[in-house]
Amino acid sequence: MSLPATTMYDPCVASYSETQCSTITSDNGDKLCAYNAVKNVCYSISRATGLYGRGDYDDGFVAAHQLSEQQNIKLQTLIGVLSATLVLLVVVGVVIGVLYFKRRKRNAENAQMDEQGIMSDHEEDRVVTQHHLAQPDSYGAEQGECDQLNVR
């Protein structure tokens, strides 16, 4: 008994005997039914072919495995690039931190030297100017008027 493969109804009837069930085939010779000897029923066989084959170690499996390997290599490359970028950012952060703390230490040393009496040229000029402004000049200007002047 042969049925076309495009038939939309279930060609296997549960009450078929084992011989009747095993004789139902498609036009190309594939079996459409199988017999369960424990339950004594005939049932339909659904052939399924996936995107990469039938699910065993056929050419489809090999193709899917190769595709998976290619994607894995791309993913590892992406992870490597992102890791290198992260390491570079950490190194830049450490360098900036070291430079910041060196500058901070140098500024603290300069401030300490200023407190100890070692003055820069600009500070010496300011002290001399303030000293001259503190005394009344020969023209009779008072101290308050001299403070308002920007005399160096």
Side-chain angles (χ1 to χ4, degrees), residues 23-43:
T23 59
I24 301 174
T25 59
S26 66
D27 291 339
N28 62 3
D30 289 336
K31 289 190 174 225
L32 297 175
C33 300
Y35 187 77
N36 186 336
V38 175
K39 294 183 179 179
N40 293 325
V41 292
C42 183
Y43 60 92

Side-chain angles (χ1 to χ4, degrees), residues 5-110:
T6 58
T7 306
M8 298 305 280
Y9 66 93
D10 186 7
C12 305
V13 179
S15 61
Y16 281 173
S17 68
E18 186 174 355
T19 53
Q20 287 175 321
C21 190
S22 63
T23 59
I24 301 174
T25 59
S26 66
D27 291 339
N28 62 3
D30 289 336
K31 289 190 174 225
L32 297 175
C33 300
Y35 187 77
N36 186 336
V38 175
K39 294 183 179 179
N40 293 325
V41 292
C42 183
Y43 60 92
S44 296
I45 297 174
S46 298
R47 296 211 181 265
T49 302
L51 181 62
Y52 298 112
R54 294 184 304 269
D56 53 357
Y57 293 101
D58 61 352
D59 291 336
F61 175 80
V62 174
H65 185 69
Q66 290 173 348
L67 180 65
S68 174
E69 288 293 326
Q70 290 172 354
Q71 290 175 346
N72 190 17
I73 290 171
K74 289 179 184 177
L75 183 62
Q76 288 176 348
T77 303
L78 179 66
I79 289 172
V81 168
L82 291 176
S83 297
T85 303
L86 181 65
V87 166
L88 183 64
L89 286 173
V90 168
V91 168
V92 167
V94 167
V95 168
I96 289 173
V98 167
L99 292 175
Y100 172 76
F101 284 112
K102 279 186 176 183
R103 174 177 260 175
R104 193 170 172 204
K105 183 179 177 184
R106 186 180 62 204
N107 288 344
E109 288 174 354
N110 288 344

